[in-house]
Amino acid sequence: MVFCLQRYYFFFLFAKKWHLNTFFVLGWGLAHSFSVSLLVDFGENSYLCASNIHLEDYRFMRYFLLFVLALIHSSIALAQEFTNPVWPRDWPDPTVWLGEDGRYHCVATNPRRSIVSDDLFHWSMSDVTPIDEASWEKMRAVSKHFWAPDVATLKGGKRNLYISLYNSAEDSNIGVLQEVAPGQFRYAGIVTSGKETGIHDTIDPEVVTDPKTGKVWLFFGSVGGIHRIELNKDGLSLKEGAKYEHVAGLKVEQNPSRSKVFEGA
């Protein structure tokens, strides 16, 4: 689109790639001036930049135009197209982490295989077996369902895999496995057990490190409520003296409509 307004010619260039909408507004003034505006729309957030450049030499303007066009081209090239689902197989409750090899790794419920990606959009099956058979035998001795793994990277780059070991709402547990080789984890034991605490639905773990305090927190739960408990720095066991805290969600029997019930930490 081209039109003239107040002695300026405005050229609108629209580029739409992936989720990125970019509007470049180039105005060439008739009185030795050149205005440039850039509107970038990232969904809910929009950013507008504008400038007016007074030029005595039109040759500089030509060079500047070439620079702006190169910027447009590069911004479009950086936005990648993709098609959902990015992994078209049964792969529930995925957890993703960035490995030392610079690639993204992902495991899901029943983590017998892992997938890898260079860009989070294009995935392929990995040759790495995330959990060895000896660890599977130990986990099968605890439960019959292995849900919703969470891989957490702790201080010093050490990495643990937390997993739901579920038999029933009353008999549910969070297990932990240590990384012993890139993308490979070995069973280290139970972190918390619903049979011991009385907390129903001790499943769906999420481990985070508070960047201010350095404390390591395990969040977990589902329709029985969301709870948290502090872990030791290695993330393998509960911190001595730590207490369970209910942080969100009501139990189903307290809220039959489920308007205040949360499934999954």
Side-chain angles (χ1 to χ4, degrees):
M1 179 187 300
V2 180
F3 67 91
C4 182
L5 177 65
Q6 294 182 347
R7 302 176 66 192
Y8 281 86
Y9 288 103
F10 289 86
F11 301 85
F12 288 80
L13 302 179
F14 171 70
K16 184 174 182 181
K17 276 288 209 179
W18 184 30
H19 66 284
L20 174 64
N21 296 322
T22 308
F23 298 85
F24 294 92
V25 184
L26 308 180
W28 178 3
L30 300 181
H32 296 101
S33 63
F34 181 57
S35 76
V36 180
S37 298
L38 171 63
L39 174 63
V40 182
D41 179 16
F42 290 96
E44 297 179 353
N45 300 310
S46 298
Y47 304 91
L48 177 66
C49 303
S51 63
N52 288 305
I53 304 171
H54 296 279
L55 306 173
E56 297 298 330
D57 188 348
Y58 282 100
R59 288 176 298 179
F60 175 78
M61 182 178 64
R62 289 197 297 269
Y63 293 137
F64 190 81
L65 273 173
L66 289 174
F67 171 76
V68 172
L69 291 174
L71 179 63
I72 294 172
H73 181 269
S74 62
S75 66
I76 294 174
L78 286 174
Q80 300 188 51
E81 290 185 339
F82 68 95
T83 302
N84 276 316
V86 294
W87 184 246
R89 301 187 185 185
D90 185 20
W91 205 258
D93 308 321
T95 180
V96 177
W97 70 96
L98 181 62
E100 288 75 10
D101 57 0
R103 308 183 76 190
Y104 296 98
H105 299 253
C106 176
V107 294
T109 284
N110 293 321
R112 294 187 175 278
R113 300 291 302 275
S114 63
I115 56 177
V116 294
S117 173
D118 293 319
D119 56 13
L120 293 174
F121 304 113
H122 305 93
W123 294 86
S124 60
M125 194 65 73
S126 170
D127 295 330
V128 174
T129 301
I131 300 177
D132 61 89
E133 187 55 37
S135 294
W136 277 111
E137 289 181 8
K138 292 177 181 179
M139 291 193 296
R140 282 194 290 265
V142 176
S143 73
K144 55 187 177 183
H145 297 293
F146 315 97
W147 295 342
D150 172 56
V151 173
T153 302
L154 304 177
K155 186 176 180 180
K158 293 184 178 181
R159 197 171 283 120
N160 294 337
L161 186 153
Y162 300 86
I163 191 167
S164 309
L165 303 176
Y166 181 88
N167 292 304
S168 66
E170 298 79 13
D171 182 9
S172 49
N173 314 270
I174 304 290
V176 61
L177 299 89
Q178 284 182 289
E179 188 176 47
V180 293
Q184 296 178 295
F185 300 87
R186 181 177 298 157
Y187 184 70
I190 298 294
V191 178
T192 182
S193 170
K195 290 178 70 175
E196 296 178 1
T197 64
I199 299 175
H200 289 189
D201 297 307
T202 298
I203 60 173
D204 297 351
E206 181 73 26
V207 171
V208 297
T209 301
D210 188 320
K212 293 183 179 179
T213 64
K215 292 183 177 181
V216 180
W217 293 97
L218 166 65
F219 290 81
F220 66 92
S222 188
V223 296
I226 308 299
H227 295 76
R228 76 170 185 175
I229 184 75
E230 187 179 354
L231 303 181
N232 286 313
K233 297 297 183 181
D234 61 8
L236 298 176
S237 58
L238 303 182
K239 185 177 177 63
E240 185 176 358
K243 296 182 178 181
Y244 291 89
E245 302 174 56
H246 175 262
V247 295
L250 297 179
K251 295 180 180 180
V252 174
E253 53 267 28
Q254 297 173 312
N255 184 223
S257 68
R258 295 192 176 217
S259 61
K260 296 181 181 180
V261 171
F262 303 102
E263 182 181 0

